Amino acid sequence: MRKPLVAGNWKMNGSLDSINTLLGGIKEGLGNVSEAELAVCPPAIYIQHVASSLKGTNVALGAQDVNDKPAGAHTGEHSVSMLKDFGCKYVILGHSERRTLYGETDDFTARKFIAAREAGLVPILCVGELLEEREQGITEQVVARQLDAIIDLEGAGALGAAVVAYEPVWAIGTGKTATPDQAQEVHAFIRGMVAKEDAEVAAGLRILYGGSVKGSNAAELFQMTDIDGGLIGGASLDATEFLAIGQACNS
Ligand code: 13P
């Protein structure tokens, strides 16, 4: 059985005040989330603060990105060991905003993936197609290319200690969610692709859906066979919404 994961990607949002309110709300309602593992991924500068606020709860901590190098002259970056120092379990890699706004390639993402795994962090590898790629009918090729960057370098076994998040770029922050069937089709493709290499890894792989998930549409997405939770942007900034998404995994 795959334990569902609902991870909040706060992106570049929040202040000490708003984060305290958000975490207070999450901690208060945590008891109503029975099946899903919850994780929050704050901006790096708030990781230490969030770590101490979440101490004693079962909410996991993640980062939104990491550098592939262990240390050195990389102004503005942070390393895997720095994330480990503050108790991060997860790290989001290859988010479409990193790929499109900051030009990060499949290759660079794969190198970060390896560094994260070697340090014992669980990568949440984001894959997904642009609107024009979906319209051209090349969604599967795009997702396969993004996954192959890891598989070619490390083998499918590398995904055994990772999470994949399918985030169609056209659904991110647009209010336009993929239908459960559209999402399931790509999730099944991803699992099938991994299964061709390693059936056991494929069966245990958590594949999250991301893109305009809200409390009101989470249950219909999460009931699909190959959808094992969500990577949540906007709705993860509101404790009630985030918890409602977590509760959508309750059986
Ligand atoms: P939204 O939930 O705001 O669409 O963002 C999704 C996302 O990019 C999560 O990583």
Side-chain angles (χ1 to χ4, degrees):
M1 266 305 273
R2 298 184 293 267
K3 187 177 176 66
L5 171 64
V6 172
N9 175 9
W10 295 356
K11 308 193 180 183
M12 196 173 72
N13 293 297
S15 63
L16 267 184
D17 266 2
S18 72
I19 288 173
N20 287 338
T21 306
L22 175 56
L23 291 174
I26 292 176
K27 286 190 276 190
E28 213 175 286
L30 209 49
N32 300 322
V33 178
S34 58
E35 310 276 321
E37 177 186 9
L38 294 184
V40 293
C41 304
I45 197 160
Y46 291 116
I47 284 175
Q48 181 181 15
H49 178 72
V50 174
S52 62
S53 169
L54 289 178
K55 223 178 210 131
T57 74
N58 53 7
V59 180
L61 183 62
Q64 299 175 14
D65 191 26
V66 76
N67 195 266
D68 64 319
K69 302 287 188 303
H74 298 279
T75 303
E77 296 290 285
H78 56 266
S79 71
V80 288
S81 64
M82 294 171 188
L83 297 184
K84 292 285 288 181
D85 261 352
F86 290 101
C88 284
K89 174 177 179 184
Y90 294 103
V91 59
I92 298 170
L93 295 176
H95 192 279
S96 72
E97 287 147 21
R98 303 289 333 161
R99 294 177 189 268
T100 56
L101 302 175
Y102 300 101
E104 297 194 0
T105 60
D106 293 334
D107 223 43
F108 190 32
T109 304
R111 291 203 305 275
K112 293 178 185 198
F113 184 100
I114 293 166
R117 269 195 73 242
E118 281 173 354
L121 288 165
V122 179
I124 300 177
L125 175 72
C126 299
V127 298
E129 81 287 4
L130 304 169
L131 180 60
E132 54 267 36
E133 292 168 333
R134 174 159 283 265
E135 285 169 352
Q136 285 165 39
I138 57 167
T139 296
E140 292 186 355
Q141 279 108 296
V142 171
V143 169
R145 190 201 71 222
Q146 292 167 335
L147 274 177
D148 272 337
I150 310 291
I151 295 173
D152 290 349
L153 217 59
E154 285 277 276
L159 293 166
V163 173
V164 172
Y166 169 57
E167 300 205 311
V169 181
W170 47 271
I172 295 177
T174 57
K176 218 194 248 180
T177 321
T179 64
D181 285 337
Q182 277 175 324
Q184 166 59 27
E185 199 181 344
V186 182
H187 282 232
F189 169 76
I190 292 169
R191 200 178 305 287
M193 191 181 152
V194 178
K196 275 192 213 138
E197 308 282 329
D198 190 323
E200 203 181 318
V201 166
L205 180 65
R206 290 187 291 181
I207 308 174
L208 314 183
Y209 169 78
S212 299
V213 179
K214 306 182 275 279
S216 57
N217 61 18
E220 58 179 21
L221 288 158
F222 297 169
Q223 71 175 5
M224 305 307 283
T225 320
D226 291 296
I227 303 184
D228 307 306
L231 184 56
I232 320 300
S236 73
L237 300 171
D238 180 292
T240 310
E241 274 293 306
F242 186 56
L243 290 166
I245 297 167
Q247 284 174 57
C249 299
N250 291 0
S251 48

